[in-house]
Amino acid sequence: MGENGNRVEGFIEVEGGKIWYYVEGADKSGIPLITLHGGPGVPHDYLEPLSILSDERPVVFYDQLGCGRSDRPSDKGLWTVERFVRELNLLKERLGMGKVHILGQSWGTILACEYFFSKPEDVVSMVLSGPAMSIPQFEKDVRKLLAFLPKEKQNAIHRAEASGRFDSREYADAMRTFYSRHVCRLDPWPDCLNRALEGMGTAVYEHMYGPSEFTVTGTLRNYSCVHRLREIDVPVLLTCGRFDEATPATTELYRREIVNCEMKIIEDASHEHHLEKPEEYMEIVRNFLKKVEGHGPRKYFE
């Protein structure tokens, strides 16, 4: 484990290899916030702006196995929801943390919920951004959004899916058009998002999800925990962008299922609304955590 001021970083041995993590605000006394990146397989880099919250609490970032600075084993048997839950639990234990807040984005919202179902006593609250707790619903929503793309982009997607070949320039162009509308509307994309895509664990993403956001062929294609959302009894904050592929309408459906839940829609933003409207997003999250907490416990890193 290495230390640099208020930052602690290192590697932790998990099932299948080592994962890399770092903690900002390691000397702060607020309840720690663990961040869970999306994908699966898109490393933590694009969540780095959340480090601004480390002025009040430790904020934990890590690259899940298979992407970023963590090991990339070839065994596809490792790419299961259950193993990623065990990985998160081991990270938390090795960092010596008791109760925590969890912030998940996209796939990270699935991981957050599944962790809660396994260790509810350890979770103080959850922030679920761009929630995807039903992949069939997520795909259904994305398919609706595709209908608004230019016809030639839609045709390129249909041809690729019919042939099973997703390496054409036309398909890549269609992906970029969709992503610029519903994933990140900034132009150019911020450096932290570009770094995340450069460090992406494509093997994990394709195995669990598919070749793109709108072509779901992986092991998560039938995943849903909507029927269990009423089990969540800690405070939950749901956030989405107005143009999010995790649509406001579906996010509202999740809100109705969770007992103690707030929902915020970020205007003029999409899936990466924490990057598109960072000041608004951080204020919403900060206020939510403060309201949940009331007061801070002991320091977690002396």
Side-chain angles (χ1 to χ4, degrees), residues 226-239:
V226 176
H227 62 290
R228 299 193 66 185
L229 293 181
R230 289 192 177 274
E231 297 176 27
I232 299 174
D233 57 1
V234 298
V236 174
L237 170 64
L238 295 173
T239 71

Side-chain angles (χ1 to χ4, degrees), residues 151-175:
K151 199 64 178 178
E152 67 272 16
K153 306 298 183 185
Q154 296 182 50
N155 290 338
I157 294 166
H158 296 325
R159 285 194 299 270
E161 292 179 339
S163 66
R165 298 196 58 177
F166 303 98
D167 56 357
S168 71
R169 185 177 66 182
E170 291 78 15
Y171 184 79
D173 287 343
M175 282 176 55

Side-chain angles (χ1 to χ4, degrees), residues 108-146:
T109 66
I110 293 175
L111 184 53
C113 289
E114 290 292 339
Y115 184 81
F116 176 86
F117 297 144
S118 69
K119 291 276 188 175
E121 68 277 6
D122 290 353
V123 181
V124 176
S125 77
M126 292 192 289
V127 179
L128 306 177
S129 295
M133 280 86 85
S134 168
I135 296 301
Q137 183 63 47
F138 189 88
E139 182 179 20
K140 182 180 178 181
D141 290 339
V142 168
R143 290 286 164 184
K144 289 181 181 178
L145 295 173
L146 285 179

Side-chain angles (χ1 to χ4, degrees), residues 20-37:
W20 179 83
Y21 75 91
Y22 76 94
V23 184
E24 289 285 4
D27 61 343
K28 295 300 188 292
S29 60
I31 298 173
L33 173 67
I34 299 181
T35 67
L36 308 179
H37 65 69

